[in-house]
Amino acid sequence: MDLYLETARLVLRRFTAGDVEVLVELDSDLEVMRYLTGQPTPRDEIEQKVLPGILATYETHPGRGTFAAHEKSSGAFIGWFGLQPTGKPGVAGVGYRLKRSAWGKGYATEGTRALIDKAFTDLDLERVVADTMAVNTKSRRVMVKSGLRFVRVFHVHFDDPLPGTEHGEVEYAVDRATWTVRPGPCDLEGGLLR
């Protein structure tokens, strides 16, 4: 196993060419895909586009990419976390996709915080960003609990929009200076919770 990082309860590793099945299973759950595409990702797309793209990122952007997440206690695959190149120097995008069995356990926040830490310490990045649909309140909560701050609402045109698209997308971010102070969790709009 090509270990990327460990947290108290998670192990993140590089994906391999043999990981098609776990990705197909993850992307076949309509609830997991609800705020992404609203439909399962076809197997041939995972085999020919998704997984080759993940593997290529490891080579083109060392230290960044999409990493398989496993529970430390059971070894079970629970999804993935990503620290993606954005095309802007010093900036990475953070995200995750977890199986429903892993929801509600704090894994999303734990993994996201660990990636943000890695971005600012090991990778010497300046800013980490994340976005989701405005109506995806659970992911927005994870972003806030992970130390990201609300930046803006923006609208993107989709030919086949998902329900809720009309409310826009939201961007959250944190820079290195803010991360090092970490004053505490914020509400969904970025105000401190006391």
Side-chain angles (χ1 to χ4, degrees), residues 132-152:
T132 189
M133 290 178 69
V135 294
N136 189 352
T137 55
K138 288 182 180 175
S139 277
R140 291 180 71 177
R141 239 178 252 116
V142 168
M143 292 175 186
V144 168
K145 285 197 248 176
S146 300
L148 298 162
R149 303 288 194 265
F150 175 79
V151 175
R152 67 185 176 122

Side-chain angles (χ1 to χ4, degrees), residues 44-71:
D44 63 335
E45 187 176 331
I46 288 173
E47 289 174 339
Q48 296 165 24
K49 259 176 96 176
V50 175
L51 190 52
I54 288 171
L55 300 178
T57 301
Y58 299 146
E59 302 309 314
T60 57
H61 294 86
R64 288 179 236 180
T66 303
F67 302 93
H70 295 264
E71 279 181 332

Side-chain angles (χ1 to χ4, degrees), residues 78-154:
I78 61 162
W80 58 254
F81 288 88
L83 190 62
Q84 303 294 346
T86 63
K88 297 178 183 171
V91 181
V94 70
Y96 61 89
R97 186 173 304 170
L98 299 179
K99 293 170 82 169
R100 261 197 281 178
S101 60
W103 292 3
K105 298 180 179 181
Y107 290 151
T109 302
E110 185 174 327
T112 301
R113 280 182 179 161
L115 286 180
I116 295 170
D117 263 340
K118 187 169 186 75
F120 293 137
T121 55
D122 298 354
L123 302 177
D124 201 31
L125 298 176
E126 290 302 319
R127 186 172 176 83
V128 174
V129 298
D131 62 74
T132 189
M133 290 178 69
V135 294
N136 189 352
T137 55
K138 288 182 180 175
S139 277
R140 291 180 71 177
R141 239 178 252 116
V142 168
M143 292 175 186
V144 168
K145 285 197 248 176
S146 300
L148 298 162
R149 303 288 194 265
F150 175 79
V151 175
R152 67 185 176 122
V153 175
F154 62 99

